[in-house]
Amino acid sequence: MKTVLIVGEFSTESFGLHIAETLSEMGHKVLKFIPGYNAPQGGNLLLHRMNQVRRVIHHATNEIPRIRARRMKVLWSLAKEQSIDYVIVCHDFLQPKEVQNLKELTNAKICLWFPDALVNFGKGYFMNAAYDGLFFKDPFIVKALMSVPLSPVYYMPECFNPKRHKLDADSISEEYKCEITTAGNAHSWRVAFYQHLKNYHVKIWGPTAPLWMPIATTKQMFQNKMVFNGDKAQAFLGAKIVLNNLHYGEIWGLNVRTFEAAGIGAFQMVDWRPGLEQLFKDGEEIISFKNLDELHSKIEYWLSHPSERQKIAHAGKARALHEHTYELRLKLIFATLEQQAHGFPLPII
């Protein structure tokens, strides 16, 4: 058994929570430190807006030395009081001097497992921090950073949590049934994309769109409800197609929704990316598209072929369970930190 400190967020469906739960199930001792604003879950629209404001205030004050030092005290106490083997930082939360301090206090192997696209690098603290390993989901990021490495850089695709991403109910509620669905934030790219699908019965699950965003052309699609765990499984399995339009910041890699939809057992269509074929067989376990014309053509075909959809969905689920779980990723991360592996193999691009 190892003691693993996770620096991250642990709300429902958060990256840190999936890691923590999986490590506990694997028999490891898990310690947690939350570096950002710990927003309460659920609630109404007013609470959601208040959380947005509080998160902005927290982020804005986090660079003030005295405030940051006070917030970091919990982390330093954990480091001093516990015998820690590994530290997993779930986003670019730590400044270079803080990574160094953590190494000196714990003598643990410290890695960054970054689950986001390069457009969210922010200040890029990790570029000047002495991590024992940097893990990224996009092969493009890995190849770019390997040219000027301070820390070893590895490829680590996203994954899914079989304990969370499964259907809990005996049947799927009518609320979730539709032709096309997806789940995620209402960002500008998603609105621009989905306005081309107004002729289909589409349900988009996620938080309420920002006040400034013009969603009139897609307003009927937005359900203004976040779906987690069993509800997400119902949403994905209640639709004939889970349409995964990747953010433009995903250069060569795939987002977490790719693995969740596959692991749940949904039929999925996704933007083609150069790294796709290494993770799922296109046409057998998942269906890709490269432009809107191809997308429309494929939607029309697959909506009218339910048995073929089911076959592909089953194959995608089997692949996800066999190769793309958090447990498998964590085992590979630990082996890489111990120099027994070199991350997930990079695709040939």
Side-chain angles (χ1 to χ4, degrees):
M1 181 187 77
K2 301 293 184 181
T3 299
V4 185
L5 168 62
I6 304 172
V7 179
E9 297 179 352
F10 303 94
S11 57
T12 300
E13 287 277 6
S14 67
F15 189 49
L17 181 66
H18 289 313
I19 293 172
E21 288 186 346
T22 303
L23 286 171
S24 294
E25 290 164 4
M26 294 168 65
H28 299 299
K29 180 180 178 181
V30 175
L31 307 173
K32 302 175 184 177
F33 172 70
I34 303 172
Y37 170 61
N38 189 20
Q41 292 291 294
N44 54 25
L45 178 59
L46 177 61
L47 179 60
H48 176 66
R49 297 300 185 202
M50 289 176 63
N51 282 333
Q52 288 179 318
V53 172
R54 289 168 178 162
R55 193 179 295 275
V56 169
I57 293 172
H58 188 284
H59 181 74
T61 58
N62 210 34
E63 299 302 312
I64 300 173
R66 287 186 178 180
I67 294 178
R68 188 174 183 96
R70 184 169 69 248
R71 290 171 176 169
M72 296 298 289
K73 282 183 178 180
V74 175
L75 178 60
W76 307 140
S77 295
L78 280 172
K80 292 174 183 177
E81 297 168 3
Q82 301 284 338
S83 178
I84 300 171
D85 299 292
Y86 298 107
V87 179
I88 300 175
V89 184
C90 297
H91 211 282
D92 196 26
F93 294 123
L94 301 183
Q95 296 176 356
K97 62 182 179 182
E98 293 165 347
V99 175
Q100 186 60 39
N101 192 35
L102 201 53
K103 290 176 72 72
E104 293 171 357
L105 288 172
T106 64
N107 199 33
K109 294 188 182 297
I110 305 176
C111 73
L112 170 69
W113 189 5
F114 192 86
D116 225 331
L118 59 78
V119 293
N120 293 313
F121 272 3
K123 290 183 170 63
Y125 292 139
F126 67 87
M127 296 184 190
N128 297 290
Y131 281 100
D132 294 296
L134 302 172
F135 297 91
F136 297 94
K137 67 175 184 176
D138 190 337
F140 177 86
I141 296 175
V142 176
K143 292 203 172 189
L145 292 178
M146 286 173 69
S147 63
V148 284
L150 173 63
S151 304
V153 185
Y154 305 100
Y155 177 40
M156 192 61 59
E158 295 212 56
C159 49
F160 87 107
N161 184 351
K163 299 289 186 180
R164 289 274 181 173
H165 301 135
K166 63 179 182 178
L167 188 64
D168 295 329
D170 294 331
S171 60
I172 297 172
S173 169
E174 288 295 325
E175 174 187 8
Y176 297 108
K177 293 182 180 180
C178 59
E179 290 181 313
I180 297 171
T181 197
T182 195
N185 293 324
H187 52 67
S188 297
W189 182 249
R190 181 158 292 139
V191 173
F193 177 89
Y194 273 91
Q195 66 181 341
H196 296 281
L197 300 173
K198 289 181 288 187
N199 294 330
Y200 299 102
H201 183 200
V202 179
K203 292 185 177 181
I204 301 174
W205 302 94
T208 305
L211 296 174
W212 55 263
M213 183 173 290
I215 65 169
T217 57
T218 56
K219 186 175 182 179
Q220 74 281 2
M221 301 180 185
F222 286 93
Q223 306 303 299
N224 300 318
K225 174 184 175 181
M226 299 177 72
V227 287
F228 304 115
N229 307 319
D231 287 340
K232 181 181 285 186
Q234 286 217 56
F236 284 179
L237 293 173
K240 295 178 180 179
I241 298 172
V242 173
L243 182 50
N244 187 4
N245 68 304
L246 300 178
H247 191 275
Y248 51 81
E250 309 283 358
I251 309 300
W252 291 349
L254 302 174
N255 62 8
V256 69
R257 194 177 308 107
T258 312
F259 301 92
E260 291 176 349
I264 286 168
F267 173 82
Q268 180 178 187
M269 296 180 64
V270 63
D271 278 295
W272 181 85
R273 288 294 188 269
L276 173 63
E277 279 286 356
Q278 184 196 26
L279 301 168
F280 292 98
K281 291 182 180 179
D282 195 359
E284 297 181 26
E285 298 167 341
I286 202 168
I287 301 296
S288 75
F289 60 93
K290 293 184 178 179
N291 53 56
L292 283 172
D293 288 339
E294 183 179 353
L295 172 62
H296 282 292
S297 175
K298 288 187 174 181
I299 287 176
E300 290 298 321
Y301 177 86
W302 288 108
L303 283 177
S304 61
H305 290 78
S307 60
E308 292 182 44
R309 288 201 313 265
Q310 194 71 4
K311 181 179 179 181
I312 287 175
H314 286 164
K317 182 175 182 177
R319 180 71 177 270
L321 285 167
H322 188 252
E323 295 185 15
H324 302 312
T325 64
Y326 274 93
E327 181 174 354
L328 292 171
R329 296 288 191 265
L330 286 163
K331 287 179 178 179
L332 183 54
I333 284 175
F334 292 155
T336 300
L337 292 175
E338 298 297 338
Q339 299 184 343
Q340 299 167 357
H342 301 281
F344 201 91
L346 279 164
I348 299 173
I349 298 174

